[in-house]
Amino acid sequence: MKIISYNVNGIRSAASKGLHDWLEISQPDVACFQELKAQEDQIDTVSLNSIGYPYCYFHPAKKKGYSGVGLISKTQPDLVKIGMGIEKYDDEGRVIRADFGPLTIICVYMPSGTTGDARQAFKMEFLADFTVFISELRKERKEILICGDYNICHKAIDINNPEKHTTMSGFLPEEREWFDGFVATGMIDTFRVFDKSPERYTWWSFRARAKGKNLGWRIDYHLLSEEARHRLKSASIFREIEYSDHCPVRVELDMTL
């Protein structure tokens, strides 16, 4: 099973730049999207259906043009659940869950704290509540893949000039401490299993892109529970894809084991 995660920075904009053509060529079994910036009736599901994705699920934010997550699949999930069951997060369209046999896929768009102290506090609350949400889920579902934009660089290797960013949301000590603790619960950063090299980013500012500078952040992840480690075949970043200010990340799991 090939699973793509992609912060599209507006699914309508990404579609107009060729997202559907790329999906048709790359053919992931499941694609998880973050930052839809669209309501469900504004998303071109007819085109998605026509390229092989008859099962489309979206969790838009109540606020128009903001946030939102989605999941499309070639095969029908056994179960789909929208949201975390916590109104303040569900209003922002942060989480979708889909079960495929023994595997649960979570598509998540974690909040950014870059706009000020109030949003940073909201982000930290979300991180704590998300940990509880996953902890409770793992009592019933052992094999879990959490795909999405975490809005956090975990390690210094995941960000350009780390010494310059220690006071910036996305690389704050308390955010990285949360990431350490979350991974310690038994989650694997799938990309780093295969690639431990520096300067492997998933987001760049438009200014850096325009100047051709590789000054980015790795904030998009596939975290896999230890119970599913035996299924892990590969993980990679599609750095050549530019339908957004992010690029897609991919993981491949062997579901025959």
Side-chain angles (χ1 to χ4, degrees):
M1 178 184 278
K2 298 176 182 177
I3 302 111
I4 295 288
S5 181
Y6 193 9
N7 179 319
V8 291
N9 191 23
I11 195 166
R12 290 171 292 174
S13 174
S16 72
K17 297 173 184 176
L19 174 64
H20 293 175
D21 293 335
W22 178 73
L23 287 169
E24 188 171 19
I25 292 168
S26 57
Q27 290 291 309
D29 296 293
V30 176
C32 296
F33 302 123
Q34 302 88 42
E35 206 167 357
L36 298 177
K37 294 183 176 179
Q39 299 301 300
E40 194 162 357
D41 61 1
Q42 297 176 309
I43 299 171
D44 184 3
T45 55
V46 173
S47 292
L48 291 171
N49 296 163
S50 72
I51 61 172
Y53 297 96
Y55 304 102
C56 301
Y57 309 93
F58 301 103
H59 182 23
K62 284 190 174 181
K63 179 181 177 181
K64 292 184 178 180
Y66 177 72
S67 191
V69 292
L71 182 149
I72 63 173
S73 176
K74 291 180 173 294
T75 59
Q76 186 173 11
D78 302 318
L79 174 73
V80 175
K81 286 192 174 183
I82 303 297
M84 289 173 59
I86 301 175
E87 185 176 7
K88 64 181 179 180
Y89 307 133
D90 294 348
D91 284 352
E92 295 192 356
R94 295 286 172 187
V95 172
I96 287 180
R97 165 190 170 183
D99 293 353
F100 298 87
L103 180 69
T104 291
I105 296 177
I106 301 290
C107 175
V108 61
Y109 178 37
M110 296 191 177
S112 169
T114 57
T115 57
D117 291 345
R119 286 302 292 180
Q120 183 63 36
F122 182 85
K123 179 179 184 179
M124 298 308 297
E125 291 170 7
F126 178 91
L127 295 177
D129 290 334
F130 186 74
T131 301
V132 173
F133 171 71
I134 296 298
S135 177
E136 289 299 310
L137 180 59
R138 291 182 73 181
K139 292 177 181 178
E140 58 172 294
R141 302 288 294 178
K142 301 303 181 184
E143 299 187 22
I144 298 177
L145 179 69
I146 306 172
C147 315
D149 178 355
Y150 284 58
N151 266 311
I152 301 171
C153 291
H154 184 198
K155 304 285 188 180
I157 196 175
D158 297 318
I159 190 170
N160 75 92
N161 300 314
E163 67 284 352
K164 295 182 179 180
H165 295 100
T166 55
T167 61
M168 292 182 64
S169 179
F171 198 60
L172 295 174
E174 56 267 35
E175 295 171 328
R176 298 172 63 202
E177 182 179 357
W178 171 83
F179 216 129
D180 285 339
F182 192 66
V183 168
T185 66
M187 303 300 296
I188 305 160
D189 180 349
T190 57
F191 178 72
R192 287 303 184 198
V193 171
F194 300 97
D195 191 333
K196 295 180 172 57
S197 59
E199 300 182 358
R200 303 290 284 151
Y201 309 131
T202 64
W203 176 87
W204 300 261
S205 69
F206 286 114
R207 178 179 296 180
R209 282 177 182 262
K211 293 183 177 180
K213 294 184 177 181
N214 188 28
L215 302 177
W217 298 41
R218 189 171 76 97
I219 55 178
D220 302 270
Y221 299 82
H222 287 291
L223 295 190
L224 183 68
S225 62
E226 285 284 354
E227 292 90 340
R229 181 186 285 270
H230 65 288
R231 300 193 188 277
L232 182 59
K233 293 181 66 177
S234 66
S236 55
I237 298 172
F238 287 96
R239 295 184 66 172
E240 71 278 11
I241 306 302
E242 295 188 2
Y243 305 131
S244 166
D245 52 346
H246 292 245
C247 61
V249 293
R250 187 186 79 161
V251 67
E252 185 174 1
L253 305 178
D254 188 343
M255 298 307 296
T256 66
L257 298 176

